[in-house]
Amino acid sequence: MEETYLSDFGTILLFLIGGAVFILIGLGASKMLRPSNPNPEKLSSYECGEEAMGSSWVSFNPRFYVIALIFIIFDVELVFFFPWAVVFGQEELIRATNGTWGWFSLIEMGIFLGILLLGLAYVWVNGHLDWIKPKPVIPQSRSKIPAEMYAAVNKKYS
Amino acid sequence: MIILGIFGITLLIATYCTYAERKIAAFIQDRIGPNRAGPFGLAQPLADAVKMFFKEEFIPANAHKFLFVAGPSLAMLTACMSSAVIPFGNTLIINGNHIRVQGIETNIGLLYIFGVVALGVYGIMIGGWASNNKFSLLGAIRAASQNISYELAMGLSIIALLMMSGSLSLRQITLQQGGEFLGLSGLDWNIFYQPLGFIIFLTCAFAETNRTPFDLPECETELIGGYHTEYSAMKLGLYLFAEYVNIIVVSAVMSVLYFGGFNFPGQDWVRANIASDPTLAHNLVTILGIVVFFGKIFAFIFFFMWVRWTLPRFRYDQLMRLGWKILIPLAIMNVVLTGAAILFWPQLKAMF
């Protein structure tokens, strides 16, 4: 479609608009068609049939936050990998430099990767990647199967 | 034209994915599955859509009204946008013009998909938070944490592939796989050079689309409905629809990156023998290629559903351990191995 004057991202804008129109039609049509009889019971938040206790916009486990921080660091490093990966194997560059280009870029990236691995090792050793494991409470029962077998299974899959 | 076509086809496939999911689940569990609406229950997705339109819907009194609507819309919007750069087929020659069977060909296609799919987690996060429900909030932060963890391994597995292809354009990557392998043209697929990368990518694809065994954000035994506990009718429909569109996109990306996209074994032979007119032969091969590409997508979608009814769900600590302590080191090792292999390729070739 060379004759159209849309640039690459113009087409992506068209996709964006198309998606938005689809969503608007969906939401708009359902708004016109559906019944609407709200009452306070219906509008309360679901909490297993109990009345909801307070707001749920409260603090949550900081581990999620730590994971997000580590992710940011690694993802920024990952972004630097993409341009490197594209030029790494280019024949012209390798030929132009008599093959030293490959070694140069590999060693350069090895240093970068080493720093990245050091970071991974650091968070690993400090236990930021360990999630809290559930501690199963094993109920006492009069089963004919000996308790050691359960213990063995639990040990195997913990 | 092509844009509308791509839109229509992805949405149609996504609609019938819901049907396929229920039929496959029924088959695996030795049931019949939906069979009332239309022949073999084929009108079931239509009936579901009608229900979604006519069902009463309400926004919880405590929820953040605007973000509650924005969440599912954003999830669906990003899902719709990501199919823009997928090369569904080679070029069609009409009146001497080459027309690409693709929404748009950009030289950063892979980065674009990567970015847009990553945006999808905002839809879940916003919706889950705006519901003001404890289960939704837990589901949302689980989803965010899981998606970002597996995105790293996914990116690293792609990098090993990029080192070989040297291009971020999905069309270029596909065309490179059209060469000969074992004497068959169109079989030079990346899966033969990157098996480890493919396995890492596949695992991450399951985690990114929140499918079993990684469906912890909506794990009903712990979190009722997860991030969409408070959603009903059309907004729930948008979430579920977005999930299926994402599965299609991810299946298409896997076919393009590792399984040759629209290339099929023996395509050069077919091109030479199918018709005497070269234009007609080219067009016929392209159409065959599109059919093959959709076949690959459907095979992956079936695989997604098969796995859902085969593997149990992970526990959250197992999920995090797999993502950070197994997949990321493996992916880094894969990058290093690929780099060394590319450098030593001439020597290796000379040895045999």
Side-chain angles (χ1 to χ4, degrees):
Chain A
M1 296 243 177
E2 261 70 318
E3 64 270 25
T4 55
Y5 292 103
L6 292 173
S7 70
D8 289 3
F9 290 93
T11 314
I12 283 167
L13 185 68
L14 281 183
F15 265 87
L16 189 72
I17 294 168
V21 167
F22 174 75
I23 291 164
L24 285 179
I25 290 175
L27 288 178
S30 71
K31 195 170 181 94
M32 275 185 266
L33 292 171
R34 69 183 185 225
S36 177
N37 310 306
N39 66 38
E41 245 81 77
K42 264 186 210 168
L43 292 182
S44 62
S45 347
Y46 178 75
E47 214 167 288
C48 305
E50 302 284 322
E51 261 182 47
M53 301 273 287
S55 167
S56 61
W57 292 332
V58 288
S59 45
F60 52 83
N61 196 332
R63 267 168 201 283
F64 288 106
Y65 191 69
V66 173
I67 289 284
L69 276 180
I70 302 172
F71 162 74
I72 296 280
I73 299 164
F74 277 79
D75 210 36
V76 169
E77 296 190 44
L78 195 62
V79 168
F80 290 117
F81 263 107
F82 275 95
W84 170 77
V86 172
V87 296
F88 170 68
Q90 275 184 1
E91 304 268 322
E92 309 93 73
L93 283 167
I94 290 177
R95 223 175 299 121
T97 54
N98 247 334
T100 44
W101 166 259
W103 286 110
F104 172 69
S105 56
L106 189 71
I107 289 167
E108 203 178 22
M109 198 35 78
I111 296 167
F112 188 70
L113 201 66
I115 299 171
L116 194 146
L117 277 176
L118 211 65
L120 185 65
Y122 177 79
V123 290
W124 194 322
V125 167
N126 277 311
H128 294 310
L129 301 181
D130 295 323
W131 213 258
I132 320 152
K133 269 192 193 168
K135 289 196 190 75
V137 181
I138 298 151
Q140 294 290 321
S141 65
R142 280 173 290 165
S143 164
K144 280 181 182 157
I145 302 160
E148 298 88 66
M149 281 182 76
Y150 285 115
V153 168
N154 282 336
K155 200 178 166 211
K156 191 175 170 192
Y157 294 106
S158 68
Chain B
M1 246 298 285
I2 280 184
I3 297 172
L4 277 180
I6 289 175
F7 243 93
I9 285 170
T10 31
L11 294 179
L12 186 75
I13 298 175
T15 319
Y16 272 90
C17 268
T18 59
Y19 171 76
E21 172 115 89
R22 292 167 72 178
K23 272 292 189 197
I24 290 168
F27 172 72
I28 289 177
Q29 296 167 350
D30 204 7
R31 294 184 284 117
I32 295 172
N35 68 341
R36 293 302 165 93
F40 308 106
L42 272 172
Q44 189 66 43
L46 292 178
D48 288 341
V50 170
K51 185 194 121 178
M52 295 218 156
F53 277 109
F54 283 97
K55 200 168 157 68
E56 187 186 347
E57 184 181 2
F58 41 84
I59 298 176
N62 294 328
H64 190 296
K65 301 276 181 305
F66 173 69
L67 291 181
F68 191 79
V69 184
S73 309
L74 190 62
M76 188 65 210
L77 195 62
T78 53
C80 282
M81 278 172 67
S82 47
S83 59
V85 292
I86 290 168
F88 286 97
N90 207 340
T91 53
L92 282 172
I93 302 176
I94 300 171
N95 296 333
N97 291 328
H98 284 261
I99 295 178
R100 297 192 207 96
V101 189
Q102 185 180 15
I104 182 67
E105 158 70 5
T106 52
N107 52 356
I108 53 155
L110 194 53
L111 269 186
Y112 172 79
I113 288 214
F114 204 57
V116 171
V117 168
L119 277 180
V121 74
Y122 281 105
I124 293 174
M125 188 75 203
I126 289 172
W129 184 83
S131 303
N132 199 353
N133 177 313
K134 279 134 196 156
F135 299 111
S136 301
L137 181 73
L138 279 175
I141 51 178
R142 274 186 179 191
S145 198
Q146 165 186 336
N147 278 20
I148 60 178
S149 303
Y150 280 78
E151 219 169 273
L152 289 177
M154 196 183 221
L156 283 169
S157 68
I158 290 178
I159 277 171
L161 186 101
L162 287 181
M163 286 159 70
M164 289 175 50
S165 72
S167 168
L168 281 162
S169 151
L170 290 175
R171 174 167 292 271
Q172 281 301 325
I173 293 175
T174 312
L175 290 176
Q176 281 169 4
Q177 297 176 62
E180 279 199 2
F181 185 78
L182 299 175
L184 265 178
S185 63
L187 194 66
D188 198 18
W189 299 349
N190 283 330
I191 176 78
F192 303 120
Y193 308 104
Q194 288 285 338
L196 182 61
F198 172 66
I199 291 167
I200 296 168
F201 192 91
L202 185 71
T203 317
C204 296
F206 275 90
E208 289 280 304
T209 49
N210 298 330
R211 292 286 298 187
T212 333
F214 300 102
D215 64 341
L216 283 119
E218 45 193 305
C219 138
E220 51 290 276
T221 46
E222 295 166 17
L223 295 180
I224 321 296
Y227 59 88
H228 55 59
T229 305
E230 292 288 356
Y231 282 91
S232 57
M234 201 62 207
K235 296 195 189 78
L236 176 69
L238 286 181
Y239 265 133
L240 300 184
F241 220 59
E243 188 181 316
Y244 283 109
V245 175
N246 277 333
I247 290 174
I248 296 167
V249 169
V250 136
S251 307
V253 170
M254 281 195 286
S255 326
V256 166
L257 292 185
Y258 294 98
F259 283 86
F262 49 72
N263 293 306
F264 55 93
Q267 57 181 2
D268 287 355
W269 182 85
V270 173
R271 185 175 288 130
N273 290 289
I274 196 165
S276 50
D277 181 23
T279 314
L280 183 65
H282 180 85
N283 283 350
L284 284 174
V285 167
T286 301
I287 290 166
L288 263 179
I290 296 173
V291 172
V292 168
F293 185 59
F294 277 105
K296 285 172 187 170
I297 294 180
F298 293 146
F300 272 116
I301 292 174
F302 173 73
F303 184 69
F304 268 89
M305 290 169 184
W306 185 14
V307 165
R308 173 165 180 186
W309 301 109
T310 309
L311 294 180
R313 187 180 289 130
F314 281 117
R315 223 167 44 206
Y316 208 77
D317 63 304
Q318 293 170 329
L319 172 103
M320 282 299 173
R321 195 177 58 202
L322 178 68
W324 286 95
K325 296 191 174 174
I326 298 175
L327 288 184
I328 289 180
L330 263 184
I332 290 177
M333 196 184 83
N334 191 30
V335 169
V336 175
L337 278 181
T338 311
I342 290 174
L343 276 189
F344 288 112
W345 187 242
Q347 283 99 314
L348 278 176
K349 239 186 197 163
M351 258 163 61
F352 294 109

